[in-house]
Amino acid sequence: MNLVSPVIVGIIYCLLMSLIREPHRRHFNAIMVGGAGAAYLSGGGFGPWEVPFVALMAYVAYRGLDSWTFIGVGWLLHTAWDLAHHLKGYPILPFYHDASLACAVCDPVIALWCLRGGPSLIEVRRLREGGMKRVWNKSESTGN
């Protein structure tokens, strides 16, 4: 399995989420992590233990409505669940053996972004460009 592709998918996810303004970005991501918690439910790889995990992720997602930290923790919990499913041989996509491993590589990328507060990666670039223009214009006006 190529480990670079899942990292790229995680970065693309964060970039796309940057198009959503706050607080909607946080709310949407809380819903996404809640949905991720139920991703393995129909596969039943861990039998009845799938249900408490879904309940835990629902709680974490609910708390994530007000906290990027909880959303980040949710993605890390999902990473652990991905690894457990990969090791047991019950991938998230039954037709692709390494699907859970790929998910376990992608999810921490998203988690790190969430733990940083889910900043808009697009606005950061705009601020840097705008800030450089202001610095440039200031030096032109002072003659420095």
Side-chain angles (χ1 to χ4, degrees):
M1 181 193 74
N2 178 0
L3 296 177
V4 175
S5 297
V7 171
I8 292 170
V9 169
I11 292 169
I12 290 171
Y13 176 90
C14 297
L15 285 168
L16 289 174
M17 289 299 109
S18 295
L19 298 173
I20 302 173
R21 292 183 188 262
E22 281 289 3
H24 306 294
R25 181 182 318 129
R26 187 181 66 248
H27 296 162
F28 187 82
N29 277 277
I31 293 167
M32 291 296 287
V33 81
Y40 288 103
L41 196 54
S42 66
F46 287 104
W49 287 106
E50 299 288 351
V51 176
F53 183 74
V54 172
L56 172 64
M57 290 296 284
Y59 173 76
V60 169
Y62 174 73
R63 294 294 305 270
L65 291 170
D66 295 317
S67 168
W68 277 106
T69 301
F70 271 93
I71 298 169
V73 168
W75 284 115
L76 292 175
L77 287 169
H78 193 261
T79 300
W81 210 236
D82 290 328
L83 288 173
H85 278 82
H86 176 72
L87 293 173
K88 189 165 182 190
Y90 287 99
I92 194 167
L93 300 173
F95 53 86
Y96 178 45
H97 180 267
D98 288 337
S100 292
L101 182 58
C103 200
V105 173
C106 177
D107 291 351
V109 174
I110 299 169
L112 289 173
W113 175 72
C114 292
L115 291 170
R116 290 190 63 230
S120 174
L121 302 177
I122 296 167
E123 287 178 16
V124 169
R125 183 172 178 215
R126 286 183 192 156
L127 288 174
R128 284 186 182 162
E129 289 172 358
M132 291 305 292
K133 287 178 186 174
R134 276 187 250 122
V135 170
W136 182 262
N137 290 336
K138 185 177 180 182
S139 65
E140 284 179 349
S141 64
T142 60
N144 293 333

